[in-house]
Structures are given as C-alpha cells and as structure tokens.
Amino acid sequence: MACLSDESWVSLPKMLSERLTLRGGDQNEEEELKKKSFVESKRTQYRIEKVFPVYALGISKPESDSVVNSGDLIADPIWDAVKEEAKLEAEKEPILSSFLYASIMSHDCLEQALGFVLANRLQNPTLLATQLMDIFFDVILHDTGIQHSIRLDMQAFKDRDPACLSYCSVLLYLKGYHSLQVHRVAHALWSQGRKVLALALQSRISEVFGVDIHPAAKIGEGILLDHGTGVVIGETAVVGNRVSLMHGVTLGGTGKEVGDRHPKVSDGALIGASATILGNIKIGKGAMVAAGSLVLKDVPSHSMVAGIPAKVIGYVDEQDPSLTMKHDATKDFFEHVADNFKDGRSTGGQESGSGKK
C-alpha cells in the first residue's frame, strides 16, 4: 500500500532532475533520454519553486494528475524536509531522539507519521492509540484528497505563521494543524455513514485541543488554524481554500433552526481572532473580518469589515489577505471610531447640560 498515492498531482521539475538517473549506452540513447527529460520537465513545470504552493497560492490545480516517479520512488519534498529536520533536531537535542525517531524517522511516509502523532495525542484509556492509528491509516491512505490537504495545510502553517520554526514542528506540536487533520478523517467517516465514530473523534478533538468542528462541516485546502484554541465550526459551515482562521473564531448558527444554517467562508478570506460569524451568510472571496467583530450579514468580496455588528470599512488590495496575514488594516477604522466616540461624548455632555438649565 503506497503512502503517497500514484494519483498525486504535484510534481517538481527540480526534484525530477535530481531523482532521474540517466543510464546510457551509445550517444543516440543519451540524446533520446535528454529529449525525454526536457519534455517531461516542460510538462511538469508550474513556474513556482516552493513545495505545493501552486494550489496554496491560488493558481488553479492542474487538470490531470502527474507524478514524479523513478522506479518505485515518488517525490515528496515535504516529507523529505520533515525527516531532515527531525534528524537535525535529534542531533541538537539528544534527549528528544527517541521521541523524534518514534514519531517521524521510523515511518515510511508523512501519512504514517501523522497517524502516529495524532493517535498518541488523542488516545485515552478506552480509545487506544493502536485503534486510532488503524482508523487514521485506513482513511488517509485511501483518500488522495486528504493526502493533498495534509501537505497543503502544512505549507500554509509554515508560510503564514512567523512563529512556526519548521515543517517538523507543524507535524509534532501545532494543535491547530492536528485538530484540522483529525477533522478531515472525521469528515470522511461522516461521509461514509460512520457518524458515531466521527462524533467520537470530534469529542476527542474538543477535549484535547479545545477546538470544536462538527464532522459534517466542509473545509478546503491550504488552511491555517492559528493557535486553534476556541475555534467553533458548525455542522453546515463551509470553509474554502487558502483561508486563515485565528483563535476564538466562531462559525455558528443563530438559533434552533435546522437545515443549512451556518456561514460560508470563501477562498482566501482572513478571519481575525475572536470574530463571531452567525447564520447562513457568505463571507466573500479575499474578505477580511477584523478581530472581535460580530458578523450577521453577507460580506462582499475583498472587503474589510469590523465592529459589533460588523460594517464594511474599506477594501483590501491583496487577492488573498489570508496569505499576507496583515491584521493592521483596520487601524484607520478604530481611529475613526475613537474620534466619533469623543465627539459623541462632548455633544452628549452639552445637550445634557442645556437640559438641566
């Protein structure tokens, strides 16, 4: 059973050139191999050098899947980076060498290492780590969508969180990443009709990580759950690709109604800390919701909203503010609010004074 499916669409020309071995005989064979290598490199070149940022940065996904394959070897640069970083960390901190070996270096692929890490984070006396590993392995290794997502999410954490030291630290320590990947497994189980098991995983995510995501909620790829603490996402919520959610964000309903009742967050949106978004409303593409806002109405694409209730205060220049993570865009708004507050107090004071007279 392969760790990274042959249906993987990501390939990198640089890795291709490093892993392909030219075995020649005469000059004609060498020329043919050179031509073939050139054609392959052109076919797989996506013009970006980083790992997986083609989709993460908003460029459309290739129409057909492609794979870097030399014999049985499939290129997986993120997993290669994780292993290399783990080796370096083991050298720097020998006391962690056993932990790093068990969590990373003893595994054949990112899927296995992730399953091991998640199982050991979520285990309890009645839900054993070995049982959880079987669940995670069975789902992840048979779902190419999750295989793509765990890498795109890891890239998102590495690129957008300045406190993130390495890919290795994302895999081992960041609970926002952990809760997101367990949700992906729970969502797959929910879609298969295994709802009781999916809800059990949701419960463990909430207990261990302080993140509550209903297994029916649909979440895209390249997601950042920064810190993760206090994030609540309801049953019918939808989160698009390349979205960044800060801690304390709520995507909730407005009452006891059933049916489609939760927010829909479009691609590239940035949702600030402790923002509350309620009801079946839409947050447009590339929109930004300021920290602490209460959003009750649709938010236009590429707009900035802030306040209680939230109002449009301007528009962002970035295509995807979730990638730039610029939270200071509401400075003018707060200065404006402060000025209005001062004016209101002074006006109110004059009116009350005249009334007494």
Side-chain angles (χ1 to χ4, degrees):
M1 183 181 297
C3 291
L4 181 63
S5 171
D6 289 344
E7 294 179 7
S8 174
W9 56 268
V10 178
S11 58
L12 299 172
K14 182 177 179 181
M15 296 300 299
L16 180 67
S17 62
E18 291 177 353
R19 293 182 183 269
L20 284 176
T21 303
L22 297 179
R23 296 178 180 176
D26 55 27
Q27 188 173 0
N28 292 334
E29 291 178 349
E30 290 180 0
E31 289 296 325
E32 282 187 49
L33 287 171
K34 288 180 181 179
K35 290 179 181 179
K36 183 177 180 181
S37 178
F38 175 80
V39 171
E40 286 296 316
S41 66
K42 290 297 182 182
R43 184 180 301 166
T44 59
Q45 186 174 8
Y46 300 142
R47 301 181 304 278
I48 294 182
E49 295 178 355
K50 277 187 175 182
V51 180
F52 291 108
V54 179
Y55 196 22
L57 290 179
I59 300 174
S60 59
K61 182 177 175 181
E63 293 182 0
S64 60
D65 290 349
S66 58
V67 64
V68 179
N69 197 342
S70 179
D72 294 329
L73 185 61
I74 300 175
D76 189 355
I78 282 188
W79 174 236
D80 292 341
V82 169
K83 289 187 294 182
E84 186 63 27
E85 291 166 356
K87 292 177 182 178
L88 294 175
E89 291 302 321
E91 293 175 1
K92 293 178 183 178
E93 294 288 352
I95 195 172
L96 294 176
S97 58
S98 296
F99 165 68
L100 292 168
Y101 179 81
S103 301
I104 295 176
M105 292 180 284
S106 64
H107 301 286
D108 296 327
C109 59
L110 180 60
E111 288 79 2
Q112 289 183 357
L114 178 62
F116 178 88
V117 171
L118 296 179
N120 281 277
R121 292 297 302 271
L122 296 180
Q123 67 171 326
N124 66 15
T126 58
L127 193 57
L128 304 181
T130 52
Q131 295 173 315
L132 289 168
M133 280 191 289
D134 287 341
I135 296 169
F136 295 144
F137 291 168
D138 181 61
V139 172
I140 297 175
L141 292 176
H142 289 86
D143 192 321
T144 56
I146 294 180
Q147 292 171 21
H148 296 157
S149 296
I150 64 176
R151 291 167 171 81
L152 292 168
D153 294 342
M154 186 174 288
Q155 188 71 52
F157 276 79
K158 181 67 170 60
D159 287 346
R160 301 178 212 166
D161 184 357
C164 180
L165 300 176
S166 62
Y167 295 104
C168 180
S169 64
V170 177
L171 175 62
L172 294 175
Y173 309 124
L174 299 190
K175 67 177 184 178
Y177 181 77
H178 294 162
S179 58
L180 184 57
Q181 307 321 317
V182 180
H183 165 73
R184 296 194 185 284
V185 173
H187 180 72
L189 293 170
W190 183 273
S191 301
Q192 296 170 9
R194 303 174 69 182
K195 296 185 177 182
V196 174
L197 181 54
L199 291 170
L201 290 180
Q202 177 198 5
S203 176
R204 290 301 295 154
I205 297 170
S206 179
E207 292 172 8
V208 176
F209 302 130
V211 177
D212 194 355
I213 308 176
H214 194 282
K218 299 176 181 178
I219 298 181
E221 300 175 319
I223 304 299
L224 171 65
L225 289 187
D226 197 11
H227 299 290
T229 304
V231 170
V232 177
I233 301 178
E235 178 182 9
T236 61
V238 177
V239 178
N241 299 319
R242 306 180 306 282
V243 172
S244 293
L245 302 171
M246 306 304 289
H247 56 279
V249 168
T250 297
L251 305 180
T254 57
K256 297 173 63 177
E257 72 275 11
V258 295
D260 195 354
R261 61 194 184 278
H262 294 99
K264 311 297 181 284
V265 181
S266 302
D267 297 350
L270 171 60
I271 313 298
S274 299
T276 300
I277 305 173
L278 300 178
N280 184 14
I281 60 177
K282 181 179 180 181
I283 308 300
K285 289 185 178 180
M288 190 180 79
V289 178
S293 298
L294 172 62
V295 185
L296 301 174
K297 297 180 180 179
D298 290 350
V299 175
S301 297
H302 304 293
S303 65
M304 295 183 292
V305 299
I308 301 176
K311 298 179 180 179
V312 176
I313 61 169
Y315 292 85
V316 297
D317 297 326
E318 298 89 353
Q319 180 70 21
D320 292 329
S322 61
L323 303 183
T324 60
M325 299 293 288
K326 291 182 179 178
H327 295 274
D328 59 349
T330 57
K331 180 179 178 182
D332 293 340
F333 167 75
F334 289 113
E335 290 178 350
H336 175 68
V337 170
D339 291 339
N340 287 344
F341 179 72
K342 292 178 182 178
D343 294 341
R345 288 190 63 181
S346 60
T347 303
Q350 292 175 359
E351 291 177 352
S352 61
S354 61
K356 289 179 180 179
K357 291 179 181 178

